[in-house]
Amino acid sequence: DQQVKQNSPSLSVQEGRISILNCDYTNSMFDYFLWYKKYPAEGPTFLISISSIKDKNEDGRFTVFLNKSAKHLSLHIVPSQPGDSAVYFCAAGNTGNQFYFGTGTSLTVIP
Amino acid sequence: GAVVSQHPSRVICKSGTSVKIECRSLDFQATTMFWYRQFPKKSLMLMATSNEGSKATYEQGVEKDKFLINHASLTLSTLTVTSAHPEDSSFYICSARRSPGQNIQYFGAGTRLSVL
């Protein structure tokens, strides 16, 4: 059973606009969440994370929001740039233990 | 960020042969490495956790005799797919973390295995 879900397999956004990628999880005990970015022929690279004690973490153009009651997190990219075009994976789990990954969302930023 | 190298990136083999995939942490020592398998349009599925100097911990449903994991040093873990069959064809990817308490995993580029 999928513990982490990314229900949108793809997303297209105009350059300069906001990209919002969503992720849902089932286990309310998860205490750490991460977003990874993956280019073709490369492994996923860490982008941003958030602990369950926070509801927002910001790093430059990237912001992750966590809604624990809804078991939902989202990644906001603003402004979106063509170089942001990639597949984005969210992951959730407990510190020091196994992390579960979503199926990924392919983001295309249109120049 | 940390660098993890995975080799080979692609391998094609005949049914019944064994294939070894290497995962190296290039700029840090990794006491723990992870091996994942990804099916088309599915998420990364954890196969096993590789611990340096001890036996790997396999996830439920993963055959340990089929997927042999060796973590001989702090920078190298290997996954050997023994007596490969077409159903073993998949994308295998490894990751490593700098310390047991760290949540961030650094990934290799993955290996596409095709068994004829």
Side-chain angles (χ1 to χ4, degrees):
Chain A
D1 200 22
Q2 196 88 20
Q3 298 213 39
V4 177
K5 295 179 182 178
Q6 292 176 259
N7 292 317
S8 297
S10 63
L11 175 69
S12 290
V13 171
Q14 205 72 34
E15 180 179 4
R17 308 292 283 268
I18 184 171
S19 295
I20 300 176
L21 297 97
N22 294 302
C23 179
D24 297 292
Y25 59 96
T26 58
N27 191 335
S28 59
M29 300 302 292
F30 286 156
D31 65 7
Y32 206 83
F33 308 87
L34 308 99
W35 282 95
Y36 287 84
K37 177 178 179 180
K38 184 183 182 305
Y39 292 117
E42 296 181 11
T45 55
F46 169 72
L47 187 59
I48 192 170
S49 64
I50 189 167
S51 162
S52 61
I53 63 173
K54 295 185 175 182
D55 54 19
K56 177 183 174 181
N57 188 27
E58 190 172 353
D59 183 1
R61 297 185 296 112
F62 303 90
T63 303
V64 56
F65 294 92
L66 176 63
N67 183 332
K68 289 185 288 293
S69 61
K71 295 198 281 289
H72 176 84
L73 67 155
S74 61
L75 174 67
H76 292 211
I77 307 172
V78 56
S80 301
Q81 299 174 355
D84 296 328
S85 297
V87 177
Y88 290 80
F89 291 94
C90 68
N94 293 101
T95 298
N97 290 316
Q98 177 183 351
F99 275 76
Y100 299 87
F101 288 80
T103 51
T105 297
S106 178
L107 172 67
T108 301
V109 180
I110 304 164
Chain B
V3 179
V4 173
S5 172
Q6 187 172 342
H7 179 80
S9 59
R10 186 177 181 94
V11 58
I12 301 171
C13 69
K14 291 183 178 180
S15 186
T17 60
S18 294
V19 174
K20 181 184 282 188
I21 304 169
E22 292 187 347
C23 182
R24 294 179 185 273
S25 56
L26 297 184
D27 56 352
F28 66 101
Q29 293 183 328
T31 55
T32 304
M33 291 185 173
F34 303 92
W35 287 96
Y36 294 86
R37 181 174 179 176
Q38 186 177 26
F39 294 98
K41 297 185 180 180
K42 298 290 185 182
S43 61
L44 296 171
M45 298 297 295
L46 181 65
M47 298 174 65
T49 301
S50 172
N51 303 297
E52 189 270 335
S54 64
K55 290 184 179 179
T57 304
Y58 289 81
E59 295 301 305
Q60 192 174 13
V62 178
E63 297 176 62
K64 55 184 69 175
D65 294 330
K66 161 69 95 174
F67 300 100
L68 299 179
I69 291 172
N70 184 279
H71 195 149
S73 75
L74 285 170
T75 59
L76 173 64
S77 175
T78 60
L79 168 68
T80 301
V81 182
T82 63
S83 186
H85 288 95
E87 58 265 30
D88 299 324
S89 298
S90 192
F91 185 72
Y92 296 87
I93 192 165
C94 70
S95 71
R97 59 186 184 196
R98 286 184 179 275
S99 64
Q102 190 189 54
N103 291 317
I104 298 171
Q105 295 178 33
Y106 300 93
F107 285 85
T111 298
R112 173 71 60 189
L113 172 63
S114 299
V115 184
L116 305 178

